[in-house]
Amino acid sequence: MTAIDHAHWAAYLAAGVDERLELPAITKQVDELSIADAYAIQAALLELQLGRGDTLAGAKLGLTSVAKQEQMGVSEPCYGWVPASTVVANGATIDLAELIHPRCEPELVFVLAQDLAGPGVTADDVLDATAKVVGGIEIIDSRYEAFSFTLPDVIADNTSAARVVLGTDGIGPRDHDLAAIECWFDINGEQVGEATGAALLGDPATCVAHLANHVGQAGLKLEAGWHILAGAVTDAKPFTAGTTATARYSVLGDVSVTAV
Ligand code: OOG
Ligand code: MG
């Protein structure tokens, strides 16, 4: 079997981002793409972005809710990075000319006060290391044709990460049972989804612990000040021209973003 050229596939995906291209999935073009190779492509893609002057603002989990796993036909969580250039403020407007075929989804976001790195990180450790939890909306934009992929494809593509909208309010990590936080997701004022924090593997802090343990395996850490996305609690909706997406959270307040 031919070895996977990580730098080649990273450049392939970077061109998708830069030129707003829908690309054939990598797994349609190689004999086999292992999870390890997929994370190596993701790392090479991040290196390309950091080499252009971007910095890291956080990290993310994907496919941590049954709603998302069923929507995408992939039954395991995945991990990726949040470049600083992709973070936008609550109420922002996003120009669709910068994206391919974006979707929007409501997220719970942990803002870290301390570094976190596995092995052995628990949900309790996550709460100890967290400054606050805020509501968010992630704009995902798979670089693959028809937004269709296998688990290794979506890992290589930095888990479809495109933009993150951060809520303005927030709570201390132990101010409230995070699994009990409610989220109502509206598109243009009409409710299209509803879930609680428990949708994320039963407990959002457990998701962040998995991510800390994952990056620890590569000798990396989640850093103080970073924003960590625990995953979408509902399925994602199309983010098309004129769409205003609003995620309304109990105790966390509202987050919204508009596509133009
Ligand atoms: C993969 C990314 C999933 C989430 O929150 O579940 C994700 C995708 O659905 O394109 O970010
Ligand atoms: Mg997401």
Side-chain angles (χ1 to χ4, degrees):
M1 201 197 316
T2 336
I4 299 291
D5 182 344
H6 305 140
H8 167 78
W9 292 111
Y12 175 77
L13 289 163
V17 176
D18 292 345
E19 294 163 39
R20 291 79 160 135
L21 295 172
E22 275 203 330
L23 304 168
I26 299 174
T27 52
K28 293 197 170 133
Q29 305 172 67
V30 299
D31 293 338
E32 201 193 330
L33 185 63
S34 70
I35 299 296
D37 277 318
Y39 278 111
I41 295 169
Q42 183 192 91
L45 176 60
L46 177 66
E47 204 162 313
L48 281 179
Q49 290 167 316
L50 298 181
R52 294 171 175 184
D54 213 335
T55 54
L56 270 179
K60 60 166 283 193
L61 292 109
L63 309 175
T64 44
S65 65
V66 172
K68 280 288 308 192
Q69 292 184 356
E70 285 183 347
Q71 181 180 30
M72 304 320 297
V74 176
S75 57
E76 272 173 78
C78 51
Y79 311 103
W81 303 106
V82 176
S85 64
T86 67
V87 178
V88 303
N90 195 358
T93 295
I94 293 178
D95 183 354
L96 291 178
E98 298 170 3
L99 299 167
I100 306 163
H101 46 200
R103 296 178 179 178
C104 49
E105 55 186 30
E107 299 263 348
L108 293 177
V109 183
F110 288 66
V111 184
L112 296 185
Q114 291 163 33
D115 293 355
L116 262 181
V121 173
T122 64
D124 240 9
D125 296 332
V126 169
L127 298 180
D128 288 343
T130 298
K132 60 177 181 170
V133 175
V134 300
I137 294 177
E138 184 179 25
I139 307 299
I140 50 172
D141 195 25
S142 173
R143 268 53 70 171
Y144 299 120
E145 284 169 350
F147 225 110
S148 173
F149 45 71
T150 64
L151 180 63
D153 287 309
V154 71
I155 289 169
D157 185 29
N158 193 28
T159 65
S160 309
R163 297 287 185 277
V164 180
V165 191
L166 296 173
T168 340
D169 304 323
I171 57 167
R174 289 194 166 89
D175 289 353
H176 199 272
D177 175 6
L178 302 180
I181 293 176
E182 292 188 74
C183 171
W184 301 273
F185 194 42
D186 295 353
I187 297 292
N188 296 332
E190 192 182 320
Q191 189 178 310
V192 294
E194 179 176 4
T196 66
L200 303 173
L201 302 176
D203 169 35
T206 300
C207 298
V208 177
H210 288 316
L211 174 59
N213 290 324
H214 166 78
V215 300
Q217 281 170 17
L220 303 172
K221 60 183 182 180
L222 305 179
E223 294 182 22
W226 277 14
H227 290 81
I228 312 297
L229 279 58
V233 291
T234 73
D235 60 346
K237 302 296 177 193
F239 191 58
T240 51
T243 297
T244 294
T246 305
R248 296 180 287 116
Y249 297 92
S250 64
V251 299
L252 301 180
D254 294 0
V255 184
S256 74
V257 60
T258 299
V260 291

